[in-house]
Amino acid sequence: TQLLEQSPQFLSIQEGENLTVYCNSSSVFSSLQWYRQEPGEGPVLLVTVVTGGEVKKLKRLTFQFGDARKDSSLHITAAQPGDTGLYLCAGGAGTTDSWGKLQFGAGTQVVVTP
Amino acid sequence: GAVVSQHPSRVICKSGTSVKIECRSLDFQATTMFWYRQFPKQSLMLMATSNEGSKATYEQGVEKDKFLINHASLTLSTLTVTSAHPEDSSFYICSARVLRGMNTEAFFGQGTRLTVV
């Protein structure tokens, strides 16, 4: 079983501050996805990273995949109340047999107050 | 991205009755869908893998006779919670995987809030 550990579990910041969420594993993943989930809704895919060392930017969000493809981080610059949500990372093994299964982290609850 | 539609979004049922939840892929075919259960402020727990035209694969500890899964077409999977009890109250979410190259991306339905009274 490939375990993904997310930290911190909970993050409360004020509008305008920056934050970073981490996703770590002892296993190598062929790809890693980040999702954001709001209460009462399903998770929404934010980004997929596949190459070690890859950095992707989505407006104020910056995603990085570790060189060894075992860890990833999500950095939000100048957070806004609309960034509030549960952030989940999920890793894919990438093999034919297991391509359907993603391993999810426990999630990081982010609260941005005005 | 791919669109996955889940219905109903909320359901309240009496203890002992059965509830069916539908998961549809709207603009693509999904031979495989996944059903998750999520408790408040927790991550998603995979319950089972739904395979079109064959039996579902259940995760350890999930009762297959209680959570019936039917994947009758390439765009529809259903989860039926049979003889529901209050402890079955939860947020149920389905997802469909899209294979892109060697990697997959998961697209989720909106979720179904089940309350058993």
Side-chain angles (χ1 to χ4, degrees):
Chain A
T1 302
Q2 298 173 304
L3 295 177
L4 276 169
E5 295 184 355
Q6 273 187 251
S7 62
Q9 290 184 330
F10 182 81
L11 199 55
S12 180
I13 61 171
Q14 290 196 316
E15 183 176 3
E17 294 182 338
N18 302 331
L19 68 96
T20 303
V21 177
Y22 300 93
C23 181
N24 298 298
S25 175
S26 58
S27 302
V28 175
F29 289 94
S30 62
S31 69
L32 197 138
Q33 287 91 47
W34 284 93
Y35 297 83
R36 181 172 69 214
Q37 183 182 22
E38 298 189 19
E41 299 181 11
V44 175
L45 179 65
L46 296 174
V47 77
T48 298
V49 286
V50 299
T51 305
E54 180 177 6
V55 177
K56 280 191 175 179
K57 292 193 174 183
L58 186 66
K59 295 184 180 179
R60 294 177 293 101
L61 279 60
T62 302
F63 304 86
Q64 186 165 8
F65 202 12
D67 291 340
R69 289 185 289 136
K70 293 182 179 181
D71 54 84
S72 180
S73 64
L74 157 61
H75 182 80
I76 301 179
T77 303
Q80 298 177 0
D83 296 325
T84 294
L86 179 68
Y87 288 83
L88 296 158
C89 66
T95 63
T96 303
D97 290 341
S98 62
W99 76 268
K101 285 191 177 183
L102 288 176
Q103 180 72 45
F104 279 88
T108 296
Q109 181 64 49
V110 172
V111 176
V112 183
T113 55
Chain B
V3 179
V4 176
S5 178
Q6 196 172 331
H7 178 79
S9 58
R10 292 176 181 271
V11 58
I12 300 173
C13 70
K14 290 186 177 180
S15 187
T17 62
S18 295
V19 174
K20 180 184 285 188
I21 303 170
E22 294 186 346
C23 181
R24 294 181 184 273
S25 57
L26 295 187
D27 51 359
F28 66 103
Q29 293 181 334
T31 56
T32 303
M33 292 185 178
F34 300 85
W35 287 96
Y36 295 85
R37 185 172 180 175
Q38 186 178 31
F39 292 103
K41 300 187 179 181
Q42 293 188 22
S43 189
L44 286 71
M45 181 189 79
L46 180 64
M47 298 174 65
T49 303
S50 173
N51 304 298
E52 188 269 334
S54 64
K55 291 183 180 180
T57 304
Y58 290 81
E59 295 299 302
Q60 191 172 7
V62 178
E63 300 175 60
K64 62 175 117 180
D65 293 332
K66 180 162 190 63
F67 299 100
L68 299 179
I69 292 173
N70 184 24
H71 197 145
S73 76
L74 289 172
T75 59
L76 174 64
S77 174
T78 61
L79 167 68
T80 301
V81 182
T82 63
S83 187
H85 287 94
E87 57 265 31
D88 298 324
S89 298
S90 189
F91 194 55
Y92 293 87
I93 311 174
C94 69
S95 79
R97 302 287 166 79
V98 177
L99 181 62
R100 298 204 167 144
M102 281 295 294
N103 302 299
T104 65
E105 294 180 348
F107 294 91
F108 289 84
Q110 304 94 319
T112 297
R113 170 71 60 194
L114 170 63
T115 303
V116 184
V117 297

